[in-house]
Amino acid sequence: MLNFAMLVQTFEMSIRNIRNNRMRSFLTMLGIIIGVGSVISLISIVGFATRSMLGQFSSMGAGSLQVNIYGTPVKEGLTDNELREISQIDNVLSVSPLITVNTSVVKDKTIYKKISVLGRNEQFFLRNGTIREGRALTIKDMSGNIPVCVIDEDAESVLFPNGNALGSGIRVGGIQYRIVGILHKEANYADDFAFEENRGKEGRVFIPYKNGMLMNGQNTMISAEVYTKDTSRINETVAAIEDYVKGQFNGAKDSFYIMNLSSILNAMDTVTTMMSALLGGIASIALLVGGIGIMNMMLVSVTERTREIGLRKALGAEPIVIQIQFLLESMILSLVGGNIGIVIGELISFIASKIIGVPFTVNIMAILIGFLFSVAVGAVFGWAPANRASKLNPIDALRAE
Amino acid sequence: MQDNREVLLEMKDIVKQYRMGDEVSTVLKGISLTVYRGEFVAVLGPSGSGKSTLMNIIGCLDTPTSGEYFLHGQKIADLSESELAHIRSREIGFIFQSFYLLKDQNALENVELPMIYAGASRRKCRERAKEMLKRVGLEDRMTHMPSQLSGGQQQRVAIARSIVNTPILLLADEPTGALDQATGKQVMEIFHELNEEGRTIIMITHDANIAAHARRIVRILDGNLYEGGETADA
């Protein structure tokens, strides 16, 4: 006879049985713990690694390319003229040199080593972020000897925590610069991560590119951002730029390389999907093994408790009640094991996030999947042993060792 | 002789055979037995006589190869597995030689078991179980585990368990077999009390001294039943 009270009692009995046999219960759970733990941590780690890699490329928006020069013994980089010629290639909107200046910002006798100093032209500010206060650098600032700069909000909060950055002065490369604008970058996840140029994380100061080149002692540019008009034609634009630059370097193909964000993102997407699928497969195997472990232990449990089953049947337990009791036990075991696995998995992924260097986030989907899987595994793999238990003949069972 | 007593149990020509490979062994060779309500019957026989098999059939744990068995007017052969389980929890109380208590549950939890399987509410299970343990004199041992109880105490727990659902029939298989003389006597005392209250008891044993405690003795030998010993009027 099956009613709610009986179900509750059966549930309590299952819990009691689990508690009374801690060692056996723990061994049973081990497979699920490992299975779920590995699913959670592996999925998280893949996610973190992907994001860390993406962070490096996100300084470029869609439709922008980055031309990077390795150079040849006779030619180190591109000249102003060459950049101008590139900007006149079909489908190219504009070009901005990318200069990383080897110097530090100094203010009130404090050296800020973690603030990057970057050289840009006026085109850069048209495509990256918005000016919150003041103005961007203009073409008039590009003569090479005007000491004005734009700082971003991170640098602002470090250098001028009490405000009043606009119009104030900082020393860059030993020269006094006046701040003419504050750059606000739209929030996107890339902001959280280290830029390729911005390992410092404390902010960026933008100066006219020629100033930066002077400070570095370089007379050609080895890196530039190219903005396109029509992103659907980006492949032919890349080819056109490649032809031109190759020509300038006397046909040396490996003297430069062009980074195309969208194709990189596409490739990464494919790789990520494949990796996730692979990991999913591996993790499923782990879960399968965990399930087999549960089934094994439940079978052992049934054998060990044959006499007990016989007794329960003699006292009036219907087969269905015995089946439910053992099924509940295996489901509770795998649920508890699954929860422990989730906790361990999140712990591992937390440690991984610190090692990889990305913010720790919790993948709710993975947790849900882990949870559901453990319940399912408990039910599926516990069913056969429970069924066997319910079909035991009471007299034979009672007579068993 | 007209009998005004109520028939509790009626077996007609019960045969039980086992097939072992090619051989067929007949353990019960056509047993007929009638037990009235309120009787205290001992089934006396040596080992191998088939008395355990007989008890299993009476207790609805096993089905005969042929023959009819009526318990309280119900034809047992007609019943389904779950109906049989129902009868075992509600109508029959079992007392085994080796007590058969669940080792990982305390006395109270053990006694509750038949009530749980009969579908009673939690509170009722607790109350009845406590009552029954008091009845057998174990009220201060209710939360003890079987390992903390002596043989006699364990058997008393088993007895409490067997009557918790007020069954119509108590079946005892060598109830004192694992106990010493003195404790065995105590247990038989309880049996007497229970019988005096009107409960029907069928006791299987190989010990004539124990059998003598009953009011009626039937002997079983080689699968056949022989009426022997006085039948006291109920």
Side-chain angles (χ1 to χ4, degrees), chain B residues 141-200:
Chain B
R141 296 262 197 279
M142 287 200 256
T143 52
H144 279 54
M145 305 295 280
S147 52
Q148 299 169 309
L149 298 171
S150 72
Q153 289 167 337
Q154 288 186 53
Q155 191 61 299
R156 278 192 272 163
V157 173
I159 295 176
R161 180 179 67 192
S162 71
I163 54 176
V164 78
N165 260 336
T166 52
I168 57 174
L169 178 63
L170 285 184
L171 272 182
D173 182 4
E174 304 276 10
T176 57
L179 306 170
D180 61 62
Q181 277 263 14
T183 329
K185 253 190 152 178
Q186 279 180 1
V187 168
M188 291 316 299
E189 277 295 313
I190 301 180
F191 271 52
H192 278 295
E193 288 169 20
L194 294 176
N195 182 234
E196 238 122 80
E197 288 168 12
R199 298 181 207 264
T200 315

Side-chain angles (χ1 to χ4, degrees), chain A residues 1 3 5-6 9 12-13 16-17 20 307-308 311-319 321 325 394-395 398, chain B residues 56 61-62 81-82 85-86 88-89 94 96 100 102 104-105 109 113-114 116-120 122 125 161:
Chain A
M1 179 173 142
N3 58 20
M6 173 104 72
Q9 302 270 23
E12 288 181 349
M13 269 200 276
R16 220 181 287 152
N17 279 325
N20 287 329
R307 238 226 238 157
E308 175 191 329
L311 175 66
R312 288 179 186 268
K313 283 193 148 194
L315 294 180
E318 292 170 58
V321 172
Q325 184 192 332
I395 317 176
L398 276 172
Chain B
N56 287 335
L61 285 170
D62 199 0
E81 172 94 60
S82 46
H86 200 233
R88 289 200 294 269
S89 70
F94 286 96
F96 302 96
Y100 284 167
L102 290 177
D104 52 2
Q105 305 197 355
E109 290 158 351
L113 219 42
I116 293 177
Y117 289 133
R122 218 144 148 247
C125 287
R161 180 179 67 192

Side-chain angles (χ1 to χ4, degrees), chain B:
Chain B
M1 189 168 79
Q2 188 63 328
D3 218 305
N4 291 329
R5 295 175 296 177
E6 186 192 339
V7 172
L8 203 62
L9 180 163
E10 195 164 1
M11 299 176 108
K12 292 192 184 145
D13 284 321
I14 295 287
V15 174
K16 180 69 186 178
Q17 292 177 323
Y18 288 108
R19 174 164 272 114
M20 316 254 269
D22 285 336
E23 291 204 5
V24 174
S25 76
T26 309
V27 180
L28 297 176
K29 297 177 179 156
I31 302 236
S32 295
L33 176 66
T34 306
V35 176
Y36 298 92
R37 190 187 268 277
E39 285 206 80
F40 187 171
V41 184
V43 176
L44 180 62
S47 62
S49 54
K51 57 188 197 295
S52 293
T53 311
L54 178 62
M55 173 170 131
N56 287 335
I57 292 182
I58 295 179
C60 301
L61 285 170
D62 199 0
T63 45
T65 315
S66 72
E68 289 184 328
Y69 174 24
F70 292 88
L71 181 62
H72 211 198
Q74 275 203 303
K75 190 163 183 204
I76 296 299
D78 290 342
L79 296 182
S80 67
E81 172 94 60
S82 46
E83 283 167 319
L84 285 176
H86 200 233
I87 289 189
R88 289 200 294 269
S89 70
R90 284 266 177 82
E91 318 274 16
I92 303 178
F94 286 96
I95 298 162
F96 302 96
Q97 177 175 354
S98 6
F99 328 128
Y100 284 167
L101 301 180
L102 290 177
K103 294 194 173 45
D104 52 2
Q105 305 197 355
N106 65 26
L108 199 60
E109 290 158 351
N110 265 289
V111 175
E112 284 180 328
L113 219 42
M115 288 211 86
I116 293 177
Y117 289 133
S121 76
R122 218 144 148 247
R123 204 165 32 124
K124 198 152 175 249
C125 287
R126 277 285 132 131
E127 281 174 13
R128 277 290 292 179
K130 285 192 185 156
E131 248 185 81
M132 292 303 110
L133 278 171
K134 274 202 206 137
R135 173 74 184 73
V136 297
L138 285 175
E139 51 197 288
D140 48 351
R141 296 262 197 279
M142 287 200 256
T143 52
H144 279 54
M145 305 295 280
S147 52
Q148 299 169 309
L149 298 171
S150 72
Q153 289 167 337
Q154 288 186 53
Q155 191 61 299
R156 278 192 272 163
V157 173
I159 295 176
R161 180 179 67 192
S162 71
I163 54 176
V164 78
N165 260 336
T166 52
I168 57 174
L169 178 63
L170 285 184
L171 272 182
D173 182 4
E174 304 276 10
T176 57
L179 306 170
D180 61 62
Q181 277 263 14
T183 329
K185 253 190 152 178
Q186 279 180 1
V187 168
M188 291 316 299
E189 277 295 313
I190 301 180
F191 271 52
H192 278 295
E193 288 169 20
L194 294 176
N195 182 234
E196 238 122 80
E197 288 168 12
R199 298 181 207 264
T200 315
I201 304 181
I202 298 180
M203 186 172 64
I204 317 273
T205 183
H206 67 273
D207 187 341
N209 291 323
I210 298 294
H213 281 272
R215 296 234 200 97
R216 169 180 166 201
I217 300 179
V218 287
R219 289 171 207 275
I220 180 168
L221 190 61
D222 223 12
N224 286 309
L225 214 61
Y226 306 96
E227 204 65 46
E230 317 73 58
T231 325
D233 275 325

Side-chain angles (χ1 to χ4, degrees), chain A residues 234-252:
Chain A
I234 208 162
N235 286 330
E236 56 177 83
T237 316
V238 169
I241 298 176
E242 273 178 352
D243 279 339
Y244 175 76
V245 176
K246 198 169 41 160
Q248 299 307 107
F249 281 88
N250 241 344

